[in-house]
Amino acid sequence: MRLILARHGNTFGPGDVPVWVGAAEDLPLTDKGRVQSVQFGLALKEAGIMPARIIAGPLQRTANGAQLAAAECGFEGSIEIDTRLREIDYGSWGGRSDAEIAAEWGEKAIEDWRERSIVPGGAGWTPEPADIAANAQAVLQGITGAAKAGDTILLISSNGILRYFHALLGGDPGRPEESKMRTGHWSVAAYRPSGWALEVWNAPPHPAALGGAG
């Protein structure tokens, strides 16, 4: 079986000042973000793969992205909305730019999260990292237990949540900087007798990652 983890498409357009977008900032996809979502479905279709399940976080950028991907690949089942895949609430950082956060917290606090997955103390982030990790493990266990051989499952969430799946799928836990995922990118893992193993992490969607010629 195969699991595809996809990060939603863009929520900022040209000329916009990017800000930290968490659970409290339920931004819609931009035109480019919608195109990026369609690309997930197109890569599946070109690879000749119909997902057995599509699972998404509840925010509109993930749920709507899942709908666009599903429509493109011809998926006719129900998209499963899982609240455990809701993006982190970035507390006092939410809705603020890097420059604004750095002025108050310092550049290192931003780098610590992006490169080392260290949550800033006192910023009011929720849930706690241990709870996010437990949720990710529970989601993965549920997928593993319900899947049949040959199934492909597409899961769409946000960077803050997806990075917690990296080590669970065979990524190096000692290299948290590798767990980041860009908007409109995906990661692919296959289940083998020894467990889950990453095949691709943080790559643009392409049918070749799924065995398609593209």
Side-chain angles (χ1 to χ4, degrees):
M1 78 184 83
R2 179 187 289 113
L3 174 62
I4 302 169
L5 301 177
R7 182 180 176 188
H8 63 79
N10 286 8
T11 53
F12 299 106
D16 290 342
V17 176
V19 297
W20 284 63
V21 179
E25 293 78 35
D26 194 7
L27 300 186
L29 295 166
T30 62
D31 288 344
K32 181 177 179 179
R34 293 174 63 84
V35 170
Q36 289 171 314
S37 302
V38 167
Q39 290 299 315
F40 296 137
L42 181 62
L44 284 161
K45 182 168 67 175
E46 291 187 355
I49 293 171
M50 178 64 67
R53 300 170 66 187
I54 297 181
I55 308 168
L59 299 176
Q60 58 179 325
R61 56 189 180 269
T62 49
N64 292 350
Q67 293 169 350
L68 291 165
E72 185 63 33
C73 70
F75 178 79
E76 296 181 349
S78 297
I79 294 170
E80 303 169 42
I81 301 299
D82 193 326
T83 58
R84 295 172 296 183
L85 300 174
R86 185 191 305 273
E87 177 61 306
I88 297 168
D89 186 327
Y90 291 118
S92 61
W93 288 27
R96 302 173 72 183
S97 68
D98 278 4
E100 291 172 321
I101 293 167
E104 183 174 346
W105 294 81
E107 297 276 0
K108 185 176 185 300
I110 298 174
E111 183 181 342
D112 277 347
W113 167 247
R114 288 186 172 149
E115 301 300 328
R116 291 174 278 279
S117 297
I118 299 173
V119 172
W125 288 25
T126 58
E128 292 292 328
D131 293 330
I132 302 172
N135 283 341
Q137 186 168 34
V139 169
L140 184 60
Q141 286 175 341
I143 289 170
T144 306
K148 301 181 179 68
D151 279 357
T152 293
I153 295 91
L154 173 63
L155 183 154
I156 300 180
S157 187
S158 305
N159 179 55
I161 298 300
L162 292 174
R163 64 170 62 210
Y164 282 83
F165 283 86
H166 184 256
L168 295 175
L169 295 171
D172 184 351
R175 299 186 62 83
E177 70 277 8
E178 295 178 354
S179 67
K180 298 177 292 185
M181 204 182 305
R182 297 177 62 187
T183 54
H185 282 48
W186 73 8
S187 301
V188 181
Y191 190 74
R192 300 178 177 133
S194 58
W196 287 101
L198 281 176
E199 297 184 333
V200 173
W201 188 267
N202 189 34
H206 193 282
L210 308 173

